[in-house]
Amino acid sequence: MSSTVVVVVVVVVVVVLLVVLASSVRVIKQYELGVLFRLGRVRGAREPGLRVIIPFVEVLRRVSLRIVTMPIQSQGIITRDNVSVDVSAVAYFRVTDAVKSVVAIENVTAAIDQIAQTTLRKVVGQHTLDETLSETDRINIDIREILDVTTVDWGVEVTLVELKDIQLPDSMKRAMARQAEAEREKRAKIISAEGESLAAAALGDASDIMMAHPLALQLRNLQSLVELGVDKNTTVVFPAPLMSTIGELGSFLARENAAAAPAMSGPASRPVPTASVVEATSTDASAEPRNRTPAAATNGASTPATVKP
């Protein structure tokens, strides 16, 4: 009986020793620091590795030194120009002093979350809508500086704050779309006006050259006729200078025929035109269609002529 009791006592002692040994051994990871409390008082920080503490006398708190990503939930904010927007952001922070982060504040993550939300509303509310949309870098810097001043006593450093999303009312979105469309139309009209100005200047230079060289205009007219002939059009509109040239040609042929008529002896010997007959038109052609003189033909030189094959 006594031997059984001894065995039981030995087993209990061994189990207790194992439990005490297990509770006295702590492992601190590479990205952590340990804060040691002995009877409630801070005894300092412990480096990564295997650490042994006194059970029920010492307590070791592990603190992570890695950067923590904390989303800041969307906040309904009224900007300085009285526009309601919903702004969300994200903050990045890390612990720089493990002892302060444990002693100075109860929950570092919750505290930074709350102070970040209030700071976000404060900073964005001091800017207009246009500044909020275009100057996000400056707003991010302002928020981070305010958070750094507050969290430095907590042993925490805010490394980065970024505005993540800005939600606008539907009416404001439509107004901004109309404004952007009007701006694009304005730039398009300005570009078109500049093009018209350059084209007018080029045409002015071309007209000066054509005035100095009259044949250039005739060559340009012929080139236009060639371009029209490519499309095989049934109707051709002749420019006015070209029509006057045809009229002069018709008047010349009429004068030649009139001059050659007295030299002919009788109707039998009169040559019959086989290629074309040119009839010159003038202002007095309706009054005397049969009796045309060289003077009348000369008067009609400035009017268009009809060529009949």
Side-chain angles (χ1 to χ4, degrees):
M1 183 67 180
S2 60
S3 62
T4 304
V5 173
V6 172
V7 171
V8 172
V9 171
V10 171
V11 171
V12 171
V13 171
V14 171
V15 171
V16 171
L17 289 177
L18 291 176
V19 171
V20 171
L21 181 62
S23 62
S24 63
V25 176
R26 294 288 186 273
V27 177
I28 302 176
K29 298 181 178 63
Q30 181 64 38
Y31 55 83
E32 294 177 336
L33 278 181
V35 180
L36 182 64
F37 292 87
R38 181 177 297 168
L39 297 177
R41 296 178 64 87
V42 177
R43 305 303 298 176
R46 295 294 183 264
E47 296 294 330
L50 182 63
R51 301 298 173 186
V52 179
I53 62 175
I54 302 174
F56 310 110
V57 177
E58 296 178 342
V59 177
L60 186 66
R61 294 279 302 273
R62 299 185 184 91
V63 179
S64 177
L65 301 180
R66 293 178 294 181
I67 294 177
V68 180
T69 302
M70 184 187 66
I72 304 174
Q73 64 182 1
S74 180
Q75 303 293 313
I77 305 172
I78 298 178
T79 60
R80 195 175 64 184
D81 52 351
N82 298 324
V83 178
S84 178
V85 295
D86 293 333
V87 182
S88 60
V90 60
Y92 299 87
F93 68 91
R94 65 185 182 89
V95 175
T96 56
D97 192 331
V99 176
K100 285 184 179 181
S101 66
V102 174
V103 177
I105 191 156
E106 181 180 0
N107 191 331
V108 174
T109 304
I112 293 179
D113 186 19
Q114 295 299 319
I115 193 65
Q117 293 181 22
T118 57
T119 305
L120 177 64
R121 286 195 296 267
K122 176 182 177 181
V123 174
V124 175
Q126 295 175 352
H127 296 78
T128 62
L129 178 61
D130 293 338
E131 293 174 350
T132 304
L133 296 175
S134 61
E135 300 180 2
T136 55
D137 293 339
R138 186 161 64 89
I139 294 176
N140 295 334
I141 294 174
D142 293 342
I143 296 175
R144 185 176 64 81
E145 290 177 352
I146 294 175
L147 291 178
D148 279 340
V149 173
T150 306
T151 59
V152 66
D153 296 332
W154 302 344
V156 177
E157 178 188 5
V158 178
T159 58
L160 184 64
V161 177
E162 290 288 341
L163 296 182
K164 185 168 61 175
D165 188 19
I166 300 176
Q167 294 291 336
L168 299 176
D170 293 337
S171 59
M172 183 58 64
K173 291 180 181 179
R174 290 191 294 269
M176 294 177 66
R178 290 194 299 269
Q179 179 183 1
E181 183 178 359
E183 182 67 22
R184 292 189 183 95
E185 290 181 356
K186 183 186 74 173
R187 285 184 290 180
K189 290 180 179 179
I190 292 174
I191 294 173
S192 177
E194 291 177 351
E196 292 291 341
S197 176
L198 294 176
L203 289 175
D205 296 338
S207 64
D208 294 339
I209 295 174
M210 289 183 180
M211 288 179 64
H213 304 279
L215 292 178
L217 181 60
Q218 298 296 332
L219 294 176
R220 187 68 183 90
N221 291 333
L222 294 175
Q223 183 181 359
S224 300
L225 291 177
V226 171
E227 294 175 356
L228 291 174
V230 173
D231 297 334
K232 298 181 181 179
N233 294 327
T234 57
T235 303
V236 178
V237 179
F238 291 96
L242 186 60
M243 293 299 296
S244 63
T245 302
I246 294 176
E248 293 175 0
L249 179 60
S251 300
F252 173 76
L253 294 177
R255 289 194 300 270
E256 290 296 326
N257 290 335
M264 298 299 177
S265 58
S269 61
R270 179 175 300 175
V272 178
T274 59
S276 62
V277 178
V278 180
E279 296 178 1
T281 59
S282 62
T283 56
D284 55 349
S286 60
E288 295 178 0
R290 299 292 183 181
N291 301 321
R292 297 187 55 85
T293 61
T298 305
N299 292 333
S302 61
T303 59
T306 305
V307 180
K308 293 185 179 182

